[in-house]
Every structure is written in structure tokens, then in C-alpha cells.
């Protein structure tokens, strides 16, 4: 098969499992290293004509990361487009299985079994989880809200996103409100905004800061098993 992936996490999942299938990937597809597939633009602005010219048997997309008009244009060009929805760990495991085994006809990879086992082996979350805020951008400040994959992972790791019930999935919240939210920890990933020890913690002077690998928090794929091993200690 010839496959184009419009989702960095799914690119990594396919490339690690069956590297010869990918003929096109986005500019944001950084893992695994050494990808030789054609670059077809960003997740939000793919060159749909370039995708069509690659004559893929399947285009893999995601309802959050990719725009509906782009997917419609690909379908109008006669391409088959598989759209995933991943807002929880369970959805991630199910959708990865659907892409790899059902759509691509591959054997369920060992890394997917290992990821499932690693998360199942974690202890149950405490009855009273630690409240946290999770900025994903600044200028303006934006945080994790409801129904996010990262939020589900955090809940399984024993922390409570104080904005998990917000009406928006990635709300803009003034910094003063974030500091007065009742959080006991601020979780600062290094993507999509690259928070660092010198850029982020100073905005929350009364809170301890946990700087985490954003890929472990937001990517679904071969990094999932590592996320289960490393994120718990990062959040302490």
C-alpha cells in the first residue's frame, strides 16, 4: 500500500510498524528520525494537490489535527481518507489498532501491546487527585480544557486538571485567573509551546512547576509505553 499520513503521531506509528508504506508525511512529522517520505505541508495546510499526485491508497487523518475542508478536497480527488478521533487513551489504543491492523492489514505490533500493558499496570488514581493547570500556549495563555487526550493521561496519573470541565477544549484564560484557580502544580510541556525552565515557571511564582516532555503527554503511538514509565515521576 501507499500511505500518506497527515498526523505526526500516526506517521510514527506506521513508520515504526511498516516503514515502507509511507509515501507522504507533513512537515511536523519528526519521528522516527530519517523519514524519507515526501513532505506535503503542515497538518492544518497540507498541499492537497501534492497529496493526490502521490496516488496514495489511503490518507490517514485526525478530526482535531486536520481541517475538514482539506479532507473534503482529498475525497473529492478520489482518495480514501481515514479520519481518527483520539481524545482518551482507550480511543488512542483502539484507533491505532484500527489504522494498523484493519486499514493497513498489519499484524498488531509489539509496541502497541507493550503500551497497553504499561498503562494497565499503573496504580489506580488517588481518591483526591492533585489539582493542576496545564498551559499549552502563552501570549495569550491557553490551557488544556475538556475532552483532551493529554487530559485523560493526566487523570490516569493521579492529577486533576482544574479546567477539565470548561466549555472549551483549549480555553484562553488570563494569567491571574490561572494563578487563582486553586491548582497545586503547573504542568508545562515543551510543545506545542516550548516551555522551559526560563520561560514559563516565572509566571506562576506560588506554584511548583513540572516541566514535561510534550511528546509523552500529547503523542499517541510508540512513545505511549515510555510515557507510562516517565510521566509519573515528572509530575511529582
Amino acid at each position: 500500500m501507499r500511505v500518506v499520513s497527515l498526523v505526526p503521531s500516526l506517521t510514527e506509528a506506521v513508520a515504526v510498524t511498516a516503514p515502507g508504506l509511507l509515501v507522504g508525511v507533513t512537515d511536523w512529522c519528526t519521528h522516527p528520525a530519517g523519514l524519507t517520505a515526501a513532505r506535503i505541508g503542515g497538518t492544518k495546510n497540507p498541499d492537497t494537490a501534492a497529496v493526490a499526485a502521490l496516488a496514495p491508497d489511503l490518507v490517514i487523518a485526525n478530526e482535531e489535527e486536520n481541517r475538514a475542508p482539506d479532507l473534503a478536497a482529498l475525497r473529492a480527488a478520489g482518495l480514501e481518507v481515514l479520519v481518527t478521533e483520539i481524545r482518551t487513551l482507550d480511543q488512542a489504543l483502539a484507533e491505532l489498532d484500527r489504522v494498523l491492523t484493519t486499514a493497513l492489514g498489519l499484524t498488531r505490533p509489539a509496541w502497541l501491546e507493550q503500551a497497553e500493558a504499561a498503562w494497565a499496570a499503573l496504580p489506580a488514581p488517588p481518591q483526591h487527585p492533585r489539582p493542576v493547570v496545564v498551559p499549552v500556549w502563552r501570549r495569550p495563555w491557553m490551557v488544556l480544557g475538556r475532552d483532551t487526550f493529554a487530559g485523560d493521561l493526566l487523570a490516569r496519573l493521579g492529577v486533576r486538571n482544574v479546567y477539565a470541565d470548561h466549555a472549551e477544549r483549549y480555553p484562553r484564560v488570563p494569567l491571574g485567573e490561572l494563578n487563582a484557580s486553586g491548582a497545586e502544580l503547573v504542568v508545562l510541556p515543551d510543545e506545542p509551546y516550548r516551555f522551559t525552565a526560563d520561560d514559563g515557571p516565572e509566571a506562576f511564582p506560588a506554584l511548583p512547576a513540572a516541566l514535561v516532555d510534550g511528546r509523552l503527554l500529547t503523542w499517541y503511538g510508540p512513545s505511549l509505553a515510555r510515557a507510562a514509565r516517565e510521566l509519573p515521576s515528572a509530575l511529582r
Side-chain angles (χ1 to χ4, degrees):
M1 292 185 70
R2 295 172 60 81
V3 178
V4 169
S5 172
L6 303 181
V7 186
S9 293
L10 298 178
T11 294
E12 183 183 22
V14 174
V16 168
T17 308
L21 297 186
L22 288 168
V23 296
V25 299
T26 76
D27 297 339
W28 299 104
C29 293
T30 57
H31 290 78
L35 281 170
T36 58
R39 299 288 173 165
I40 48 75
T43 57
K44 305 295 186 188
N45 58 344
D47 183 338
T48 55
V51 174
L54 291 170
D57 300 297
L58 183 67
V59 178
I60 305 170
N62 177 264
E63 52 87 31
E64 176 179 9
E65 295 200 46
N66 307 120
R67 302 185 314 134
D70 295 323
L71 304 184
L74 293 172
R75 291 192 177 99
L79 302 181
E80 181 177 353
V81 181
L82 185 158
V83 182
T84 58
E85 179 182 306
I86 299 176
R87 301 191 182 189
T88 68
L89 175 63
D90 289 341
Q91 275 189 315
L93 296 170
E95 290 285 58
L96 286 164
D97 187 81
R98 180 167 75 105
V99 169
L100 297 172
T101 67
T102 303
L104 300 182
L106 303 172
T107 300
R108 198 170 200 261
W111 64 259
L112 186 53
E113 301 283 355
Q114 293 161 4
E116 195 168 26
W119 282 93
L122 290 176
Q127 186 175 2
H128 300 291
R130 189 181 191 186
V132 303
V133 291
V134 190
V136 294
W137 203 259
R138 68 181 301 175
R139 294 185 286 273
W141 287 95
M142 298 175 67
V143 298
L144 288 185
R146 63 172 180 84
D147 296 337
T148 66
F149 172 73
D152 185 61
L153 292 193
L154 290 170
R156 293 168 183 268
L157 295 172
V159 298
R160 177 179 63 83
N161 175 15
V162 298
Y163 290 98
D165 295 325
H166 196 280
E168 299 176 20
R169 298 184 66 219
Y170 299 98
R172 297 185 181 190
V173 182
L175 182 59
E177 183 178 326
L178 294 179
N179 276 294
S181 65
E184 297 176 2
L185 176 72
V186 57
V187 179
L188 298 170
D190 63 5
E191 63 174 68
Y193 185 90
R194 187 171 180 78
F195 288 106
T196 68
D198 300 319
D199 184 0
E202 80 291 342
F204 302 90
L207 294 179
L211 293 163
V212 301
D213 184 334
R215 183 163 166 262
L216 297 185
L217 191 60
T218 61
W219 285 48
Y220 35 86
S223 61
L224 276 173
R226 182 177 153 223
R229 294 192 302 267
E230 297 183 14
L231 282 177
S233 59
L235 295 172
R236 288 176 188 154

